[in-house]
Amino acid sequence: MKRGKIEIKPCTECTVSSNGVFCSVSEKNLGILDQARGSNFYKKGQTIFYEGNHTNGLFCIYSGKVKLSKLGENGKEQIIRFAKTGNILGYRSLLSNDTYHAPATAMEDCHVFLLSKDRFMEILESDPKLSMNIVQLLSNDLKSAEQLLIDIAQKSVIERISESLVLLQKTFGYVNGGKTINVALTRSEIADIAGTTTETTIRTLVQLDKEGIIKLVDKKINILDLQKLIQRAKIYD
Amino acid sequence: MKRGKIEIKPCTECTVSSNGVFCSVSEKNLGILDQARGSNFYKKGQTIFYEGNHTNGLFCIYSGKVKLSKLGENGKEQIIRFAKTGNILGYRSLLSNDTYHAPATAMEDCHVFLLSKDRFMEILESDPKLSMNIVQLLSNDLKSAEQLLIDIAQKSVIERISESLVLLQKTFGYVNGGKTINVALTRSEIADIAGTTTETTIRTLVQLDKEGIIKLVDKKINILDLQKLIQRAKIYD
DNA sequence: CGTCAGCTTGATTACTTTCAATTGTTGTGG
DNA sequence: CCACAACAATTGAAAGTAATCAAGCTGACG
């Protein structure tokens, strides 16, 4: 953890996101947050919080990519959503004063701030704009979760895999403007997004490759024809 | 619509729920709500709001049962959650200023109040307790949606059907303390909860009946052994 | 250079859907 | 009140999809 090498801005000068939940918060309150934050580093694969653990604060991602998953009774993982630079984590559990219900894992090396629960709640109560932002965050999460539910319940594997790739592209974009999706995932993780098995994922990716829609290069996935991929995913919106 | 026969209390004297979101709201604000509400009646099967329609208010269920569903691209329905007396509907769309994204349908004759959007937002902004209640409502919805997602993604049909029955029992209880689940659903609707087909649902219900866990009497479902049903659903919590 | 984790492929099996046909139930208009 | 239409439930057979099981491969890394 070579903190000396990393430039860390105070919350008051945060530029990681132009539309984050804290963007509308006053300088004064950001200053309070600043005093109450702790800096954490996680290596790829490390767990940021576990399912069932008690909530001790709000996580704010300064850099890196994180997956939120949920384990079924049989231990199989389902990825619920992703979080990246500028996103916050753990608000659902914090706000309903619950334990974490979806473990978060670093998909690459991450730098995360932990904001004190008390301080956050304090600001939340005095800042209607922030509270509205949180409500919208929850609403959007709910909307996505319900959409994912429908997709997993009703779509075929190739549709779900295609949709997963579209989602990844939308979320993480391309590597310097090219066609390679800007995130490193194992086949097994892609399976955990689409709600299927590793083997089926591999076969399906190969099929999409053969169809000329994507191009598999090592572990990287290139999207050759996003429109066709969207068609394959049966996304109409 | 024989309104004359139905006794309608003002919001200030509402007793439909002891833990509803409005329970903590002041008399004064309830009075405001009261002035701004409209009374609507829906027959069984009627749609209260459609997917894609613009949000014009908040629905509060005075009596009756409602299902919120979502349609897949192929037109197949997935039931997302239920609402009954004392629950509110449409808050997600209203709060994120979105169109309705999950249509609501009356499962039996319903009496529903429509609260004005403006009036509600007004009170919401002045009442931190209410806004906290809403946040918790959203949090809980999100939690359930994610749980349902895992279940549909990972459980077998018999587990999902079993779980659906447990959910129905928890939500609607028994008919006068007996063993009959207090809600009327078609096989097709049960299928839409569990994310399967009507035929498979029928076969599965028959199997549970043969196992002595439930007893099918006409369209009513009796739960003979709730513990075994929970086991069959692989619910551990 | 061995090991381990991830990737790939093939064969088999199990589960669920789909299609088709029949019966039962309900509500409605004559 | 009955006949009919529309919807709901049921059952069987066939087809399809994806999971599972087994085995070999590949590449990164100590």
Side-chain angles (χ1 to χ4, degrees), chain A residues 119-137:
Chain A
R119 229 35 88 245
F120 171 71
M121 292 306 278
E122 198 176 286
I123 294 174
L124 182 62
E125 275 165 28
S126 71
D127 189 330
K129 193 83 184 284
L130 177 61
S131 118
M132 218 49 205
N133 285 346
I134 297 283
V135 163
Q136 299 220 351
L137 214 51

Side-chain angles (χ1 to χ4, degrees), chain A residues 10-14 21-37 115 123 127:
Chain A
C11 294
T12 44
E13 291 168 30
C14 187
V21 284
F22 291 115
C23 285
S24 61
V25 169
S26 69
E27 280 274 321
K28 173 172 160 286
N29 280 336
L30 284 178
I32 294 175
L33 277 183
D34 210 51
Q35 297 302 313
R37 77 179 183 183
L115 305 179
I123 294 174
D127 189 330

Side-chain angles (χ1 to χ4, degrees), chain B residues 91-236:
Chain B
Y91 46 93
R92 196 216 62 87
S93 317
L94 189 148
L95 289 166
S96 52
N97 209 25
D98 202 356
T99 55
Y100 295 115
H101 74 313
T105 312
M107 293 164 63
E108 46 186 56
D109 292 1
C110 285
H111 181 186
V112 177
F113 289 111
L114 178 59
L115 305 179
S116 137
K117 179 176 175 173
D118 295 339
R119 229 36 88 244
F120 172 70
M121 293 306 279
E122 197 177 285
I123 294 173
L124 182 62
E125 275 166 28
S126 71
D127 189 332
K129 193 84 185 285
L130 176 62
S131 115
M132 217 50 204
N133 285 345
I134 296 282
V135 163
Q136 298 218 353
L137 213 53
L138 284 168
S139 296
N140 290 334
D141 286 350
L142 182 56
K143 193 176 179 180
S144 318
E146 287 173 355
Q147 187 58 53
L148 186 56
L149 174 65
I150 296 287
D151 291 340
I152 288 192
Q154 299 185 2
K155 288 186 177 177
S156 68
V157 164
I158 193 163
E159 289 165 354
R160 302 203 302 266
I161 297 271
S162 301
E163 179 149 16
S164 302
L165 296 180
V166 173
L167 171 70
L168 290 171
Q169 194 283 318
K170 276 191 190 168
T171 308
F172 299 113
Y174 292 119
V175 176
N176 25 296
K179 292 185 166 296
T180 305
I181 298 175
N182 189 24
V183 63
L185 291 171
T186 65
R187 302 299 191 238
S188 160
E189 282 176 314
I190 297 174
D192 292 340
I193 307 171
T196 181
T197 59
T198 309
E199 295 93 325
T200 301
T201 301
I202 289 167
R203 287 183 243 266
T204 306
L205 287 175
V206 167
Q207 186 184 337
L208 288 171
D209 185 306
K210 279 182 185 160
E211 290 182 16
I213 296 175
I214 65 172
K215 179 96 191 120
L216 301 171
V217 184
D218 300 326
K219 296 196 178 177
K220 288 288 181 186
I221 297 172
N222 296 350
I223 296 182
L224 301 182
D225 191 334
L226 185 57
Q227 276 316 308
K228 270 193 189 163
L229 191 62
I230 289 172
Q231 273 175 32
R232 214 77 179 71
K234 296 215 180 131
I235 300 173
Y236 310 107

Side-chain angles (χ1 to χ4, degrees), chain B residues 22-79:
Chain B
F22 290 115
C23 285
S24 61
V25 169
S26 69
E27 280 275 319
K28 173 173 160 283
N29 280 335
L30 284 179
I32 295 176
L33 278 183
D34 209 50
Q35 297 302 313
R37 77 179 183 182
S39 199
N40 288 352
F41 296 84
Y42 300 91
K43 285 265 167 214
K44 178 175 179 170
Q46 278 191 321
T47 301
I48 297 174
F49 53 78
Y50 292 89
E51 193 162 13
N53 274 20
H54 199 265
T55 313
N56 43 17
L58 189 74
F59 296 87
C60 183
I61 305 177
Y62 191 74
S63 70
K65 303 183 177 83
V66 176
K67 63 174 178 181
L68 280 107
S69 38
K70 199 158 166 44
L71 301 176
E73 303 301 351
N74 49 16
K76 180 160 169 50
E77 187 174 340
Q78 173 70 46
I79 294 180

Side-chain angles (χ1 to χ4, degrees), chain A residues 70 72-74 76 78 80-81 95 98 101 136 143 146-150 154 234 236, chain B residues 70 72-74 76 78 80-81 95 98 101 132 136 143 146-150 154 234 236:
Chain A
K70 199 156 165 47
E73 303 300 352
N74 50 16
K76 180 158 169 51
Q78 173 71 46
I80 306 273
R81 59 178 169 275
L95 290 165
D98 201 355
H101 75 311
Q136 299 220 351
K143 193 175 179 180
E146 287 173 354
Q147 186 57 52
L148 186 56
L149 174 64
I150 295 287
Q154 299 186 2
K234 296 213 179 131
Y236 309 109
Chain B
K70 199 158 166 44
E73 303 301 351
N74 49 16
K76 180 160 169 50
Q78 173 70 46
I80 307 272
R81 60 178 170 275
L95 289 166
D98 202 356
H101 74 313
M132 217 50 204
Q136 298 218 353
K143 193 176 179 180
E146 287 173 355
Q147 187 58 53
L148 186 56
L149 174 65
I150 296 287
Q154 299 185 2
K234 296 215 180 131
Y236 310 107

